[in-house]
Amino acid sequence: MTQYDYDLFVIGAGSGGVRAARMASEHGVRVAIAEQRFLGGTCVNVGCVPKKLFVYAARFRDEFDAAAGFGWTLGQATFNWSTLIANKNREIERLHTVYNSHLQKSGVKVITGRATVLDAHTVSIDGNEYSAERILIATGGWPFVPDIPGKQHIVTSNDLFFLKQLPERIIIVGGGYIAVEFAGILHGLGVHTTLCHRGDSLLGGFDEDIGAFLAEEMTKKGIGILFNTDIEAIEKAGACLAVRCIDGSQLNTDLVMYATGRVPNSSGFGLEQLGVELDKEQAIKVNGDYQTNVPSIYALGDVTNRMNLTPVAIAEGIALVKKLYSNQAHQTEAIDYETVPTAVFSQPAIGSVGLTESEARDKHPDIDIYLTRFTPMKNTLSGLDEQTLMKMIVVRGTDRVVGLHMAGTDAPEIIQGMAVAIRAGATKAVFDSTIGIHPTAAEEFVTLREAAP
Ligand code: NDP
């Protein structure tokens, strides 16, 4: 008979925590999961899911504009933000029910409340103590906002999902995933949108051509982009906000949103007292088996700040449970973080897998770059001038395709399929001998003939 109440106590019911809890329970392990807010974590409540619903809402603007070229006459389109929010909230509530029922069916004990880790085997919630052989921290992250005068006027993506009404104008600060996604959403919904980024290109970490192309397309749509712009202070100025930049310039707006990265949720619940090691960004340090320096404490997902993506957290949850509780632990393949595909639901959308051009040049002496930029077929009649960019990076000696990047309609859907080929080690010759599907944009990836000079 075990001395513990549970074999595994998971703190945080987001994507990674829920997957680990359910899967462990299905292996016959006694599991509890604690959540202080809502089931589903960032992705379901203030991330991927509501964001994608907002992107759909925003895309209608272009669809309405495009319709006339195909013979449609539409009346005056109007948009109601409250309807979108109410429908989105209803869908999220449905997902809470689904998550709860999946956890119950798997036999996981769900405990609502803020957990504190008392020692290496004990968790406390609302005065109740639970002992566990192992504790898994899957507490995710939280938006980071720099400390500037007027910080109290700033909203983050967390707030945007629940705004009572849309502003007329917004300034979005940052040049990463969230900044460009929300710039596309808000512009599409009719908000006068300006992006302020301290750097000189969008989407650091992505292929350089993709960032430059996105900036061009966003600008064409009417989104203002101010590069090399850092904000010093924000002040209330009557009904609006005055944003003072470091170069002395001033911008007036109705709302300021910061999308300047996220910090791991690693403090304030006992880890410091226990001596769990954090890195300088406050991420929990783990070894290859998701184990912290306190052997009974594990961590995965955004709180470890490695690759902050839902499917990565889920994969980590699966890998951990296989390692700890499956009798095939020795066969468990480590996650390959190098070929994780990713998407940005900007407008146009982006999909990417493998190395960027500069990463490939650092790693391989000789590479070939295939690049195509074209007007998608739909836009021959739509009157829209959004273009598509596709890029393939090939190692000359081995012919291996090591990077694929796309910006354009359906890029995330297309790159998901292409990622399988990259994982399988496809060469350029394999791409070339694959028959295209016509007429699609995706077929361009199998008809790239001329490497860039
Ligand atoms: P990112 O790390 O993608 O981007 C942060 C941006 O903020 C960068 O442009 C950065 O500039 C800038 N920045 C950082 N600190 C400051 C500061 N003090 N002042 C001004 N600018 C600053 O973070 P996000 O918040 O956009 O997203 C967080 C994470 O969430 C992403 O990295 C991603 O992992 C995940 N995510 C994934 C999505 C998806 O899969 N589609 C969607 C949304 C989020 P600089 O480059 O100069 O450092």
Side-chain angles (χ1 to χ4, degrees):
M1 192 61 189
T2 165
Q3 64 194 96
Y4 300 111
D5 298 331
Y6 294 100
D7 301 314
L8 180 67
F9 198 104
V10 182
I11 304 181
S15 306
V18 165
R19 179 56 61 97
R22 287 183 54 200
M23 203 174 147
S25 190
E26 285 157 13
H27 275 82
V29 171
R30 297 168 313 134
V31 187
I33 191 165
E35 173 56 56
Q36 63 175 345
R37 281 186 204 89
F38 304 108
L39 295 179
T42 301
C43 178
V44 167
N45 295 284
V46 285
C48 332
V49 174
K51 178 273 306 288
K52 187 87 187 274
L53 295 173
F54 282 10
V55 169
Y56 285 126
R59 288 295 302 170
F60 279 101
R61 165 186 283 249
D62 277 355
E63 293 301 319
F64 293 144
D65 288 347
F70 293 90
W72 290 92
T73 304
L74 301 177
Q76 178 65 39
T78 58
F79 171 70
N80 189 316
W81 173 249
S82 308
T83 304
L84 175 63
I85 294 288
N87 291 346
K88 179 270 289 180
N89 288 346
R90 204 180 51 238
E91 171 57 10
I92 305 301
E93 278 161 26
R94 188 187 70 80
L95 292 175
H96 291 159
T97 316
V98 170
Y99 265 66
N100 193 33
S101 111
H102 282 165
L103 284 163
Q104 306 292 348
K105 274 192 204 140
S106 306
V108 176
K109 169 81 177 155
V110 179
I111 304 170
T112 305
R114 182 170 172 81
T116 302
V117 182
L118 299 181
D119 64 40
H121 295 282
T122 315
V123 174
S124 146
I125 299 170
D126 292 334
N128 298 314
E129 289 186 15
Y130 306 88
S131 64
E133 185 184 10
R134 294 185 174 103
I135 298 170
L136 171 61
I137 313 293
T139 45
W142 196 254
F144 159 76
V145 177
D147 213 2
I148 58 161
K151 187 178 176 179
Q152 70 276 16
H153 301 303
I154 294 170
V155 297
T156 67
S157 53
N158 282 1
D159 308 301
L160 250 290
F161 289 113
F162 300 96
L163 273 190
K164 292 274 176 284
Q165 64 183 63
L166 277 181
E168 264 178 47
R169 301 167 295 180
I170 190 165
I171 288 178
I172 299 177
V173 181
Y177 278 83
I178 298 180
V180 300
E181 287 181 343
F182 271 93
I185 290 167
L186 291 160
H187 170 76
L189 298 181
V191 178
H192 186 275
T193 304
T194 306
L195 194 84
C196 285
H197 178 36
R198 67 181 179 183
D200 56 10
S201 60
L202 297 180
L203 293 178
F206 279 76
D207 187 272
E208 300 72 10
D209 281 332
I210 291 285
F213 178 81
L214 179 65
E216 232 178 88
E217 291 295 323
M218 286 172 67
T219 306
K220 268 179 9 194
K221 284 181 192 296
I223 297 171
I225 303 183
L226 303 173
F227 285 118
N228 305 308
T229 303
D230 225 340
I231 289 172
E232 196 170 55
I234 302 169
E235 282 164 18
K236 195 105 182 100
C240 65
L241 296 170
V243 173
R244 203 169 66 238
C245 302
I246 275 173
D247 67 1
S249 60
Q250 182 171 307
L251 305 161
N252 292 327
T253 189
D254 303 308
L255 196 64
V256 179
M257 170 184 164
Y258 267 60
T260 42
R262 294 171 62 87
V263 280
N265 272 330
S266 59
S267 64
F269 60 100
L271 299 184
E272 303 93 331
Q273 290 80 346
L274 204 57
V276 172
E277 268 186 66
L278 306 181
D279 70 12
K280 60 180 187 342
E281 323 259 66
Q282 299 303 299
I284 299 180
K285 282 196 198 175
V286 288
N287 64 18
D289 292 333
Y290 309 101
Q291 192 173 30
T292 70
N293 60 314
V294 178
S296 60
I297 302 204
Y298 293 76
L300 52 73
D302 290 7
V303 77
T304 61
N305 197 24
R306 299 202 285 190
M307 226 174 207
N308 299 336
L309 301 170
T310 283
V312 171
I314 291 173
E316 291 176 346
I318 294 170
L320 175 67
V321 170
K322 277 194 187 161
K323 191 91 199 166
L324 295 180
Y325 302 116
S326 123
N327 49 17
Q328 286 128 24
H330 57 286
Q331 292 172 1
T332 309
E333 231 183 90
I335 296 172
D336 173 7
Y337 289 92
E338 291 220 332
T339 51
V340 173
T342 187
V344 185
F345 293 93
S346 47
Q347 292 172 46
I350 288 161
S352 177
V353 59
L355 303 179
T356 66
E357 181 174 339
S358 59
E359 286 168 347
R361 285 198 191 285
D362 284 347
K363 226 168 159 173
H364 304 281
D366 289 313
I367 58 169
D368 283 323
I369 304 293
Y370 295 83
L371 191 71
T372 177
R373 184 182 174 139
F374 57 93
T375 300
M377 190 182 193
K378 183 174 174 186
N379 290 352
T380 57
L381 298 195
S382 71
L384 304 176
D385 68 352
E386 186 180 287
Q387 292 212 311
T388 293
L389 181 90
M390 289 166 127
K391 182 166 177 178
M392 177 184 276
I393 298 161
V394 180
V395 175
R396 207 172 285 160
T398 60
D399 199 38
R400 280 276 292 269
V401 179
V402 291
L404 282 178
H405 310 280
M406 174 175 176
T409 305
D410 296 332
E413 306 285 344
I414 292 168
I415 291 293
Q416 177 67 85
M418 297 290 163
V420 178
I422 301 288
R423 287 272 304 134
T427 57
K428 177 72 167 58
V430 170
F431 275 82
D432 291 347
S433 62
T434 302
I435 306 291
I437 298 175
H438 188 68
T440 63
E443 69 178 317
E444 292 290 319
F445 274 130
V446 296
T447 55
L448 291 166
R449 298 284 175 248
E450 294 280 314

